[in-house]
Amino acid sequence: MNLNQKDFLLILSLHRISFLSLAEKIILLKKLDSFTDLALMSLKDISSVCNREIKFAAWDGKENLKAAEKEERILEAKKIRWLFYSNADYPALLREIPNAPLLLFYRGDVSCLLEKTVSVVGTRRITPEGKKAAFSFSRDACDNGITVVSGLANGVDSAAHSGAVESYFFAMEQGLALPSAKTVAVLPCACDTIIPSSNVRLAEKILNTGGALVSEYVPGVPSEPWRYVQRNRIIAALSPALVVIQAPTGSGALITAQYALEYNRDVMFHKACFCENAGKVNSIVDSELCRKASLGKLSSSKAGNKVEKYLAYGAPVIDGFADYVKCLAEVPGIRSAEKQQLELF
C-alpha cells in the first residue's frame, strides 16, 4: 500500500495514541479522511467512534498532530523507515497477534523477516556454556537460511546476534555464497538509539551484514522497564518458534516464552539452561527473589515463573540447531517432561 504524506500523518498520529488498542486505531483509520479530522476530535468523539467510554486519558488532538509532524521530519532526517500494519511487507507473523504495532520502524533491511525465522532469547547473566550455545545455535541457523531474532541485550541476546553475523563474515572471508538469513534486533526504545550503548558496534555489524534494527517506538522514545516487556511480545511474535538458551527464575526471557505460548508458537529450551554454572546462577537469583518477596517487593507470578514450569507443560529441551530442526518435525509431546527431567537432573 503506497501512502502519501497526508495518509502517513494520520497513521502516525493514530500510532502514538497509547490509550487506543490496535483494533480501535484501525476503526478510526477507516472512519477518518485526514489527520486534521483526528486533530479536531474530542475524547468524547473518539469514545463514540470506538464504542467505548474512555476515561482519564490525556488528549489534545492539535498537540498530537504537532508531535506527529515533528516525528515525521525526524524519521526523514535520520532515514528511519517504517512498515504499516496493512503493508504487504509487514511481517505476517507479527500481524497475527491482537496487539501488534500499527507502525513498525526500522533501520536496515527487514525483508529477512518475511522468510524463515527463529527467536533466540535468554538471561543477561550468561554463563560460558550459555554464550557458546547461543552463538553456535544462531550461527548454524543462519548457515541454514533461518534469520535470528533477538533483543540486543547483554548476555544471550548479544551472543545470538554475534553468532548470526559470524555466519555472514565467515562465508565472505571464505569466498562462499553469503547466507540469505540475517539477524534482527528488536529494541525497547526508538531505533535511533542503541540500548545498551556497549552494543553499538554489534548493532553496526547487524546492519552491515544485511540485518535490521526494529522498534514500535518513534524517534526519541527512551527505554523504560515496561518497554522491555512490550518489546518481548514482538520478539515472540516474529518467529514460529522461540528458543530459550538460559533463563533463571523470573527472567525476562520467560516472559517472552509466555507470550510465545499465547501466540501459539513453539517454545524450546536449550540444554545450556541446565548446566552446572546455570544452576549456580539460578541459586543466586532464587535467593534474591526470596529476599525481595520477604520485603513485599516481588509478585508471586514472577517468583513462580521457572523453566521447570514450561517443562511440565511439555516444552522440549534441545541440544543445538540440528536437534531444534529434529524437534520441529516430531510429534508434539514426544519429549515427555518425565524423560527430560531424568536426563537433565
Side-chain angles (χ1 to χ4, degrees):
M1 178 180 180
N2 293 319
L3 301 173
N4 58 35
Q5 183 185 27
K6 292 182 179 179
D7 291 329
F8 180 60
L9 263 178
L10 172 57
I11 293 169
L12 185 56
S13 297
L14 284 168
H15 175 79
R16 59 188 324 283
I17 304 177
S18 60
F19 58 82
L20 293 178
S21 68
L22 171 66
E24 290 168 338
K25 291 175 183 178
I26 292 174
I27 288 171
L28 281 165
L29 186 59
K30 291 178 179 178
K31 294 282 186 180
L32 301 176
D33 292 326
S34 73
F35 56 85
T36 54
D37 291 341
L38 178 63
L40 294 173
M41 292 181 78
S42 66
L43 198 59
K44 185 177 180 180
D45 294 331
I46 295 174
S47 297
S48 177
V49 173
C50 294
N51 196 29
R52 173 174 70 91
E53 187 176 7
I54 302 171
K55 295 182 179 180
F56 312 117
W59 170 250
D60 185 323
K62 293 180 181 179
E63 288 301 316
N64 185 67
L65 176 57
K66 287 182 181 179
E69 290 173 331
K70 179 180 178 180
E71 289 160 359
E72 183 187 35
R73 293 192 294 270
I74 296 173
L75 286 168
E76 184 176 354
K78 295 191 173 184
K79 295 181 172 57
I80 297 173
R81 290 170 285 179
W82 47 270
L83 297 174
F84 172 48
Y85 180 80
S86 294
N87 286 150
D89 49 357
Y90 187 98
L93 286 172
L94 183 57
R95 192 186 288 117
E96 288 180 0
I97 70 172
N99 56 344
L102 188 67
L103 287 170
L104 191 67
F105 303 99
Y106 69 94
R107 292 165 57 197
D109 185 355
V110 291
S111 63
C112 54
L113 288 175
L114 301 178
E115 306 299 331
K116 293 181 179 179
T117 56
V118 61
S119 294
V120 180
V121 297
T123 181
R124 291 172 177 79
R125 303 187 185 198
I126 192 171
T127 69
E129 296 88 348
K131 183 175 182 179
K132 180 179 178 181
F135 184 94
S136 61
F137 180 92
S138 299
R139 181 194 58 207
D140 292 346
C142 284
D143 285 347
N144 286 273
I146 301 178
T147 289
V148 172
V149 178
S150 196
L152 200 63
N154 288 324
V156 168
D157 291 9
S158 296
H161 291 305
S162 296
V165 299
E166 175 63 20
S167 172
Y168 181 96
F169 287 131
F170 179 82
M172 183 175 64
E173 291 167 0
Q174 298 299 315
L176 305 173
L178 296 178
S180 58
K182 316 297 181 184
T183 185
V184 174
V186 185
L187 303 178
C189 57
C191 57
D192 59 341
T193 304
I194 303 302
I195 298 293
S197 59
S198 57
N199 274 343
V200 167
R201 286 191 177 182
L202 178 56
E204 291 174 351
K205 289 180 181 179
I206 291 172
L207 295 175
N208 290 339
T209 55
L213 309 177
V214 306
S215 170
E216 64 181 311
Y217 302 113
V218 294
V221 173
S223 63
E224 298 284 353
W226 64 270
R227 290 196 177 109
Y228 285 87
V229 177
Q230 290 298 296
R231 181 272 306 275
N232 290 349
R233 86 187 196 286
I234 296 178
I235 294 175
L238 282 173
S239 301
L242 175 79
V243 175
V244 181
I245 301 296
Q246 285 183 334
T249 303
S251 169
L254 296 180
I255 295 176
T256 313
Q258 287 180 318
Y259 277 126
L261 292 177
E262 290 173 12
Y263 302 153
N264 199 30
R265 309 299 196 240
D266 287 315
V267 175
M268 305 180 192
F269 290 84
H270 197 284
K271 273 192 173 182
C273 279
F274 312 101
C275 68
E276 182 178 354
N277 284 325
K280 293 177 181 178
V281 172
N282 291 344
S283 295
I284 294 171
V285 170
D286 284 340
S287 296
E288 291 177 356
L289 295 181
C290 286
R291 180 181 60 82
K292 289 181 179 179
S294 67
L295 298 174
K297 297 181 178 180
L298 183 72
S299 68
S300 57
S301 60
K302 182 168 184 176
N305 199 12
K306 300 173 177 284
V307 170
E308 290 76 14
K309 178 181 75 173
Y310 296 88
L311 297 187
Y313 288 159
V317 177
I318 61 169
D319 184 15
F321 178 76
D323 198 30
Y324 163 81
V325 174
K326 180 182 176 182
C327 187
L328 285 177
E330 292 174 351
V331 176
I334 196 169
R335 302 191 185 205
S336 69
E338 292 81 5
K339 181 179 179 182
Q340 291 177 153
Q341 294 282 346
L342 287 173
E343 291 178 346
L344 294 170
F345 302 110

